[in-house]
Amino acid sequence: MPVPVPHTVLDEVSNGVYYDPHEVLGAHLDNAGMGPDSPARGTRPSATVRVLRPLAKTVEILTQDGTYKAEHEWNGIFTAEIPAVKDGERWTVPDYRIHTVYDHGEDNIQDDPYRYLPTVGELDTYLINEGRHERLWDVLGAHVRTYLDPMGEPDGSSDGSVTGTSFAVWAPNARTVRVVGDFNGWGGRQHAMRELGSSGVWELFIPGVKAGERYKYEILNANNEWKQKADPMERFHQVPPETASIVVDSRYEWNDENWMRERAAKNPHLGPVSIYEVHAGSWKKGESYRELAEDLVGYVKDMGFTHVEFMPLAEHPFAGSWGYQVTGYYAPDSRHGSPDDLKYLIDRFHQEGIGVIMDWVPAHFPKDDFALGRFDGTPLYEDPDPLRGEHPDWGTYIFNFGRNEVRNFLVANACYWINEFHVDGLRVDAVSSMLYLDYSREGGQWRPNKYGGNENLEAIDFLKEATATAYRNGPGIMMIAEESTAWQGVTAPTSSGGLGFGLKWNMGWMHDTLDYLSHHPLDRKWHHSEITFSMVYAYSEHYILPISHDEVVHGKGSLIGRMPGDDWQRFAGVRAIFAYQWTHPGKNLTFMGNELAQFGEWNENWSIDWDSLNWEDHRGIQSLVRDLNRLYKDNRELWELDFEQQGFQWLTSDDGDHNTLSYMRLDKDGNPLVVVVNFSGTAWDNYQVPLPSGGKWAEILTTDDARYGGSDIHNTDIHAVEGEFHSRGWSAYLTVPAMGVVILKPEN
């Protein structure tokens, strides 16, 4: 006799709403098959097989020993008894297949999803609930798996294995979760998932589902509503505006072993870092990851940048968000190709000795109904507190950083990009919005923390955990904060109470410098403190000096467009700011198009202005950036002591009347480079510059060189003259070009 099941349970199973369909469907031994010491040990026990086949005409269970007819039992559930088989001293269920015939003539043989053990183990669910599963992507999401099976695939192949896809999703408040997709006509009744205890994780293995098939989770949520949701752990997504997840089975073979070995052996924060920031969709409009691997990699190498930084490459539905409103945190942007295509792009960068940084957005996520928002009908990923769960400026949800599983989702995501895609650094967006409960809020719109302060204690703990875990999982990587306030200890170690980032964008330097240069040269002397103020706090954190995408968009104009004066003065101003940036303490970042001095501000709908290179002045700026990168990497003075005060000394900082600065950069051995920056519109002849030592000095770069579009004023045969000047024992007289920068190096 079949193992009995109450009709109330059969009804829920048949409608695909039972929390544990594996308890009923699939094969179940009777008591005689429970072990070698069973009272019925001498008899051959049977197994009850129940399958859900709505509208089927006939159903048969096929084994290697025979065919067994299944009888309709309840609302599309068919039941059969099959003999058990001996496995050593134990009786067990034989491998079987389901042969179904329908009235309209369809005739198929399929494997049974409900005969497979869970693909998520108890240790996995424990770590998930504790928020400590650092390889969460190996457990949740969709994974192609192959199992040994003597019957082979249902299509008749007999290689002794069965391939399918396991699905697992965290939805603790869902009443039911089903898998829908191409493989079941987007009807989930036959593919209801089981809930694994009280973990909130739902799981199902579906034989026959292969890579490339689309799917979603169909959730009966806490509000008794059916919703179809993309997989939070999806590793590929349909090209927007389509919203389905796609099964991935990555077979990519990396060729960057040397890079990865060297990366793990060094501290990148202490070396040269010159970053080219890129929006993948508009560097050259419409290029795929594979095309970028040919064009962009070669360009970045030729220009001499040490790193490329991509604006977010995780899946996002609205292209106009530039990737900063993410729905698929584990899925590369499908607009440019597959996950393996992105791996190929990163691999090619590494083979050319170039690091890859990616913007990461753990602060907030959009409200699109197909994605994370109210995932199981409740504020699951988002903070349930209305004063903390939504961002007033961006119209997005804010993550619940205090919930273990949510924190795990994000921390593991950082590790995912570092481990699976070999990303060399994550630039964490909008850190300030995470640190403060009153960020962009008026009085009455926020609630103090338990100590009465405005710090978001849970977000702070999350950031510390994320940086520490990322550094532990990816030796040699960089964690970079985009943080715009005076928060103390952003780049201090977590062991000292800091947030644990390796680097921080110096937003103050960026705004002060661009504001200073927006003034007419005649007026700059009244703003001289703006250009020197950065050195007051230069060593408070480990800084990157950015001139980023945010500064050349939304009506701000391009970099050259922000410069006053005629065209010659504007090009000279761009040359000056690049040389000043590259010689100032801190790492360097510039956004694509800046190096071309393109006139139009950036627009994500167009490529950057490559046509500008038809003009000599634009080619001159590009040549200067290329030469600055080469000079920067070749001279340790410009980066070896970026974060130590002994790496920089003022020579003159108070010459506001001439709009001129002079300073030294030094390496660990005390070797100096001298930099003279003239931000005035006038060339200064016989300008006296203090020097640290006597002897002969060489001009190793001037931004006024004719190759860069300048007037070709040079200094030759520079000899230091003995005599105190600005507290130095030596000095030299130079011609400093208008809006120009001169770099000197001792010859002896």
Side-chain angles (χ1 to χ4, degrees):
M1 291 288 294
V3 177
V5 176
H7 287 175
T8 54
V9 174
L10 289 175
D11 194 62
E12 289 189 7
V13 171
S14 68
N15 286 296
V17 296
Y18 192 58
Y19 74 97
D20 187 8
H22 292 72
E23 185 181 80
V24 176
L25 299 178
H28 298 271
L29 288 171
D30 63 24
N31 289 334
M34 298 307 293
D37 298 324
S38 165
R41 183 178 179 184
T43 65
R44 184 177 187 180
S46 64
T48 298
V49 179
R50 283 187 172 88
V51 299
L52 178 59
R53 290 295 184 273
L55 305 179
K57 180 179 180 181
T58 62
V59 176
E60 295 176 322
I61 306 302
L62 312 180
T63 73
Q64 289 181 308
D65 294 333
T67 299
Y68 303 88
K69 184 178 180 181
E71 301 292 341
H72 183 263
E73 182 177 8
W74 187 274
N75 194 29
I77 295 177
F78 289 78
T79 306
E81 282 190 274
I82 62 174
V85 295
K86 204 70 173 289
D87 181 11
E89 290 294 312
R90 187 178 297 273
W91 292 100
T92 187
V93 176
D95 296 317
Y96 64 91
R97 299 292 183 267
I98 306 164
H99 179 209
T100 309
V101 177
Y102 294 89
D103 281 331
H104 57 267
E106 181 184 351
D107 185 332
N108 62 56
I109 297 175
Q110 295 177 324
D111 200 351
D112 187 358
Y114 297 99
R115 74 184 185 96
Y116 289 88
L117 294 172
T119 57
V120 180
E122 291 183 4
L123 178 59
D124 292 317
T125 56
Y126 172 80
L127 291 173
I128 291 169
N129 294 150
E130 289 291 307
R132 292 289 182 268
H133 206 306
E134 294 180 5
R135 294 188 63 88
L136 187 66
W137 65 92
D138 284 341
V139 179
L140 299 184
H143 296 273
V144 177
R145 303 179 189 272
T146 298
Y147 294 103
L148 295 177
D149 189 314
M151 292 187 72
E153 298 282 11
D155 63 7
S157 63
S158 57
D159 64 351
S161 65
V162 170
T163 297
T165 299
S166 65
F167 298 89
V169 62
W170 177 62
N173 302 300
R175 297 182 59 190
T176 299
V177 183
R178 310 193 296 205
V179 185
V180 296
D182 295 326
F183 40 85
N184 59 18
W186 296 89
R189 185 177 170 189
Q190 294 184 65
H191 288 131
M193 307 176 80
R194 61 179 151 200
E195 187 174 17
L196 300 177
S198 60
S199 67
V201 175
W202 299 75
E203 183 272 347
L204 180 68
F205 174 78
I206 305 180
V209 175
K210 303 290 200 305
E213 298 200 57
R214 300 176 300 162
Y215 72 98
K216 284 187 179 182
Y217 295 117
E218 189 173 54
I219 299 174
L220 182 60
N221 67 25
N223 304 315
N224 210 32
E225 304 166 319
W226 284 105
K227 294 281 187 178
Q228 287 191 0
K229 292 282 194 175
D231 188 349
M233 301 292 296
E234 66 179 2
R235 290 185 291 164
F236 197 29
H237 190 89
Q238 280 187 289
V239 177
E242 302 301 322
T243 58
S245 303
I246 298 175
V247 177
V248 171
D249 186 21
S250 177
R251 300 295 182 182
Y252 188 78
E253 295 184 6
W254 290 89
N255 295 287
D256 63 349
E257 296 85 359
N258 291 338
W259 172 271
M260 296 297 287
R261 182 172 57 252
E262 292 172 5
R263 185 182 88 175
K266 65 184 179 182
N267 183 344
H269 312 89
L270 303 181
V273 177
S274 175
I275 303 169
Y276 187 59
E277 187 190 20
V278 170
H279 178 256
S282 60
W283 184 74
K284 287 186 178 178
K285 188 68 178 175
E287 286 208 336
S288 67
Y289 294 129
R290 296 268 173 176
E291 290 168 326
L292 289 168
E294 301 308 315
D295 296 342
L296 179 60
V297 172
Y299 181 76
V300 173
K301 182 180 181 181
D302 173 67
M303 291 298 295
F305 289 97
T306 65
H307 293 75
V308 64
E309 178 180 319
F310 286 105
M311 293 163 68
L313 291 178
E315 193 61 70
H316 51 282
F318 177 49
S321 77
W322 311 333
Y324 292 100
Q325 295 201 5
V326 178
T327 50
Y329 275 81
Y330 289 77
D333 185 355
S334 57
R335 296 169 179 87
H336 310 297
S338 71
D340 280 1
D341 292 336
L342 177 56
K343 291 178 181 180
Y344 176 78
L345 171 59
I346 295 171
D347 201 352
R348 289 286 297 114
F349 271 116
H350 287 173
Q351 291 170 44
E352 297 297 341
I354 299 165
V356 179
I357 300 165
M358 190 182 79
D359 284 10
W360 185 49
V361 193
H364 64 119
F365 61 94
K367 296 181 178 180
D368 298 68
D369 195 49
F370 74 89
L372 296 177
R374 302 297 194 262
F375 187 75
D376 61 3
T378 68
L380 186 63
Y381 288 90
E382 58 271 43
D383 197 307
D385 186 339
L387 298 183
R388 298 176 59 162
E390 298 192 32
H391 199 289
D393 290 345
W394 303 327
T396 51
Y397 287 130
I398 297 172
F399 282 104
N400 184 357
F401 300 109
R403 185 162 192 168
N404 288 347
E405 296 90 345
V406 175
R407 191 176 64 249
N408 194 167
F409 173 81
L410 292 171
V411 171
N413 186 239
C415 297
Y416 173 75
W417 292 108
I418 291 166
N419 293 334
E420 295 295 318
F421 285 83
H422 293 195
V423 167
D424 304 292
L426 295 174
R427 177 267 197 186
V428 184
D429 182 66
V431 171
S432 300
S433 74
M434 302 168 68
L435 294 175
Y436 300 98
L437 295 169
D438 59 346
Y439 183 88
S440 197
R441 287 173 167 81
E442 303 295 333
Q445 295 180 335
W446 66 282
R447 184 180 297 109
N449 64 35
K450 62 183 179 181
Y451 301 113
N454 67 340
E455 301 88 357
N456 188 330
L457 303 178
E458 293 83 4
I460 292 166
D461 287 343
F462 157 71
L463 288 170
K464 291 179 179 180
E465 182 179 349
T467 56
T469 306
Y471 276 119
R472 186 176 66 252
N473 277 269
I477 60 98
M478 297 184 288
M479 294 294 287
I480 304 165
E482 189 237 353
E483 202 285 307
S484 57
T485 73
W487 184 278
Q488 295 295 308
V490 172
T491 58
T494 55
S495 59
S496 301
L499 297 182
F501 286 94
L503 296 165
K504 171 183 171 176
W505 274 23
N506 193 335
M507 313 291 278
W509 175 90
M510 177 172 66
H511 294 143
D512 287 347
T513 300
L514 292 174
D515 183 69
Y516 172 82
L517 289 172
S518 70
H519 296 290
H520 191 279
L522 292 176
D523 297 325
R524 286 175 182 165
K525 69 177 183 178
W526 309 113
H527 301 274
H528 193 70
S529 61
E530 291 180 22
I531 203 67
T532 60
F533 181 65
S534 60
M535 289 311 303
V536 173
Y537 61 88
Y539 302 104
S540 61
E541 301 281 1
H542 295 171
Y543 284 117
I544 290 176
L545 310 180
I547 300 181
S548 71
H549 65 276
D550 278 328
E551 301 310 308
V552 294
V553 75
H554 293 329
K556 295 179 181 178
S558 64
L559 183 59
I560 193 170
R562 299 174 71 138
M563 300 295 157
D566 59 26
D567 278 355
W568 190 94
Q569 291 173 314
R570 295 165 75 189
F571 278 103
V574 173
R575 293 194 298 268
I577 193 174
F578 271 121
Y580 171 62
Q581 179 182 10
W582 257 243
T583 58
H584 188 288
K587 311 308 181 184
N588 310 304
L589 176 145
T590 198
F591 183 58
M592 65 181 196
N594 289 345
E595 84 284 8
L596 309 180
Q598 66 177 35
F599 281 116
E601 72 176 15
W602 172 56
N603 185 318
E604 76 274 6
N605 296 312
W606 307 328
S607 300
I608 60 175
D609 188 8
W610 295 106
D611 288 342
S612 67
L613 293 178
N614 292 324
W615 303 93
E616 187 175 353
D617 286 337
H618 295 276
R619 292 197 303 271
I621 299 293
Q622 185 189 49
S623 295
L624 172 65
V625 174
R626 185 187 293 112
D627 288 353
L628 280 171
N629 275 329
R630 185 176 299 112
L631 180 143
Y632 171 72
K633 289 187 289 186
D634 290 346
N635 290 273
R636 294 182 299 136
E637 298 90 337
L638 294 176
W639 50 263
E640 193 169 47
L641 295 176
D642 265 331
F643 310 133
E644 299 181 42
Q645 293 187 17
Q646 60 266 38
F648 176 92
Q649 292 181 22
W650 281 116
L651 294 174
T652 55
S653 62
D654 56 355
D655 193 3
D657 288 340
H658 289 92
N659 307 142
T660 301
L661 311 169
S662 61
Y663 49 87
M664 286 193 301
R665 297 298 310 278
L666 302 103
D667 65 16
K668 289 181 179 179
D669 298 324
N671 298 311
L673 287 184
V674 167
V675 183
V676 185
V677 184
N678 177 12
F679 284 126
S680 79
T682 304
W684 306 124
D685 291 322
N686 294 315
Y687 186 81
Q688 190 175 8
V689 177
L691 294 173
S693 62
K696 192 172 182 180
W697 289 70
E699 179 186 88
I700 61 173
L701 185 139
T702 174
T703 60
D704 199 55
D705 195 295
R707 291 177 300 158
Y708 310 139
S711 301
D712 216 27
I713 295 173
H714 289 274
N715 293 273
T716 59
D717 198 26
I718 305 169
H719 289 272
V721 178
E722 190 171 5
E724 185 174 341
F725 182 67
H726 277 266
S727 302
R728 303 287 173 173
W730 303 84
S731 63
Y733 291 88
L734 306 175
T735 299
V736 186
M739 292 300 298
V741 178
V742 175
I743 304 175
L744 308 178
K745 188 170 187 175
E747 287 195 353
N748 51 341

